Amino acid sequence: MRALRILLITAVILGGLFTIGDRLAVNYAESEAAERIAANQGLAAGSADVSIKGFPFLTQVMGKELDQVDVTLTGVEASAGGRKVRVTEMDAALKNVRLKNNFSTAVAASASGTARISYADLAKASGEDVTLGYGGNGKVKVTGSVELPVLGSVTRSVLSSVSVVGGETIRVRADKVPGEGIPGLEDRVRERTDFDRQVGGLPAGLKLTKVEATPEGLTVTVTGTDVVLAG
């Protein structure tokens, strides 16, 4: 019985030491991965946060595949139709992350997450002198001014629907434009308020799948396969 107790105590101590070592290793790996991802995306230090799921971590590393890695990026600047649009924050859960090239590259078999874009940042990328805000019921309120003969400057606000086209383009279209019998008014207003913006610059492998207007801005759903974390 005494020998059994010693064996059990030794097992508990060794198990505790392994757990501590495993947690220290995963904390270090998360910090290193966050720095590498931030550098790879051209972000400032501290703009990326990484959480590696699953236990034990060390056995996952030995097998060169991690069960899941959650990544949060803030301040990503994506290109949108030749302009820059700031993505306020992006969260992504990456599954079955393969470690390659002597651990210098990590590629996720699949990924899903959300990206948030403020209306002010979307307006900057619109290419027109307009203001954007939440219009209620999942719509975007777009306000712009146009110059018309005789009447001069005319300002109109419209409620617009937002959608994703082709996995990389955000489309904003006014549901309707009050014409008020003024010839050419609707076409001129739509020149200001309707626009498409192709979004690039996100981590390789991610695509836009859905966009929703909320009071805080646009919430964009992103998914992908073979998503490159770092390299």
Side-chain angles (χ1 to χ4, degrees), residues 34 45 47 72 116 163 169 209 215-216:
S47 298
T72 299
R116 285 165 285 280
S163 59
T169 299
T209 56
E216 293 75 30

mmCIF file of all heavy atoms in Angstrom, residues 34 45 47 72 116 163 169 209 215-216:
data_model
loop_
_atom_site.group_PDB
_atom_site.id
_atom_site.type_symbol
_atom_site.label_atom_id
_atom_site.label_comp_id
_atom_site.label_asym_id
_atom_site.label_seq_id
_atom_site.Cartn_x
_atom_site.Cartn_y
_atom_site.Cartn_z
ATOM 1 N N ALA A 34 0.889 35.717 -32.104
ATOM 2 C CA ALA A 34 0.238 37.023 -32.216
ATOM 3 C C ALA A 34 1.183 38.052 -32.840
ATOM 4 O O ALA A 34 0.779 38.835 -33.716
ATOM 5 C CB ALA A 34 -0.222 37.489 -30.840
ATOM 6 N N ALA A 45 2.121 46.468 -33.016
ATOM 7 C CA ALA A 45 2.266 45.486 -31.944
ATOM 8 C C ALA A 45 1.069 45.565 -31.014
ATOM 9 O O ALA A 45 0.580 46.648 -30.693
ATOM 10 C CB ALA A 45 3.551 45.759 -31.164
ATOM 11 N N SER A 47 -1.891 44.392 -31.804
ATOM 12 C CA SER A 47 -3.126 44.427 -32.587
ATOM 13 C C SER A 47 -3.695 43.038 -32.837
ATOM 14 O O SER A 47 -4.804 42.925 -33.373
ATOM 15 C CB SER A 47 -2.881 45.112 -33.936
ATOM 16 O OG SER A 47 -2.470 46.447 -33.746
ATOM 17 N N THR A 72 -7.998 37.272 -32.911
ATOM 18 C CA THR A 72 -8.674 38.571 -32.948
ATOM 19 C C THR A 72 -7.698 39.613 -33.482
ATOM 20 O O THR A 72 -6.585 39.737 -32.968
ATOM 21 C CB THR A 72 -9.156 39.002 -31.550
ATOM 22 O OG1 THR A 72 -10.090 38.033 -31.062
ATOM 23 C CG2 THR A 72 -9.836 40.358 -31.620
ATOM 24 N N ARG A 116 -15.994 43.669 -38.353
ATOM 25 C CA ARG A 116 -16.852 44.811 -38.114
ATOM 26 C C ARG A 116 -16.245 46.072 -38.742
ATOM 27 O O ARG A 116 -15.066 46.368 -38.523
ATOM 28 C CB ARG A 116 -17.073 45.007 -36.615
ATOM 29 C CG ARG A 116 -18.045 43.982 -36.028
ATOM 30 C CD ARG A 116 -17.991 43.926 -34.531
ATOM 31 N NE ARG A 116 -16.795 43.237 -34.051
ATOM 32 C CZ ARG A 116 -16.662 41.912 -34.009
ATOM 33 N NH1 ARG A 116 -17.629 41.145 -34.446
ATOM 34 N NH2 ARG A 116 -15.556 41.346 -33.552
ATOM 35 N N SER A 163 -25.243 43.991 -49.317
ATOM 36 C CA SER A 163 -25.108 42.576 -49.641
ATOM 37 C C SER A 163 -23.663 42.281 -50.021
ATOM 38 O O SER A 163 -22.864 43.190 -50.235
ATOM 39 C CB SER A 163 -26.040 42.196 -50.804
ATOM 40 O OG SER A 163 -25.743 42.974 -51.962
ATOM 41 N N THR A 169 -16.936 41.481 -52.468
ATOM 42 C CA THR A 169 -17.437 42.819 -52.725
ATOM 43 C C THR A 169 -18.634 43.129 -51.837
ATOM 44 O O THR A 169 -19.572 42.334 -51.744
ATOM 45 C CB THR A 169 -17.855 42.981 -54.200
ATOM 46 O OG1 THR A 169 -16.712 42.760 -55.034
ATOM 47 C CG2 THR A 169 -18.410 44.379 -54.464
ATOM 48 N N THR A 209 -18.950 36.277 -46.790
ATOM 49 C CA THR A 209 -20.109 35.443 -47.124
ATOM 50 C C THR A 209 -21.439 36.106 -46.797
ATOM 51 O O THR A 209 -22.469 35.751 -47.359
ATOM 52 C CB THR A 209 -20.042 34.086 -46.399
ATOM 53 O OG1 THR A 209 -19.925 34.303 -44.982
ATOM 54 C CG2 THR A 209 -18.844 33.278 -46.875
ATOM 55 N N PRO A 215 -26.622 48.816 -35.546
ATOM 56 C CA PRO A 215 -26.437 50.190 -35.072
ATOM 57 C C PRO A 215 -24.976 50.614 -34.968
ATOM 58 O O PRO A 215 -24.658 51.796 -35.098
ATOM 59 C CB PRO A 215 -27.105 50.160 -33.693
ATOM 60 C CG PRO A 215 -28.163 49.106 -33.809
ATOM 61 C CD PRO A 215 -27.546 48.051 -34.677
ATOM 62 N N GLU A 216 -24.064 49.649 -34.751
ATOM 63 C CA GLU A 216 -22.643 49.973 -34.590
ATOM 64 C C GLU A 216 -21.884 50.029 -35.908
ATOM 65 O O GLU A 216 -20.757 50.530 -35.956
ATOM 66 C CB GLU A 216 -21.964 48.948 -33.672
ATOM 67 C CG GLU A 216 -22.431 48.984 -32.223
ATOM 68 C CD GLU A 216 -23.811 48.375 -32.047
ATOM 69 O OE1 GLU A 216 -24.164 47.459 -32.833
ATOM 70 O OE2 GLU A 216 -24.537 48.800 -31.142
#
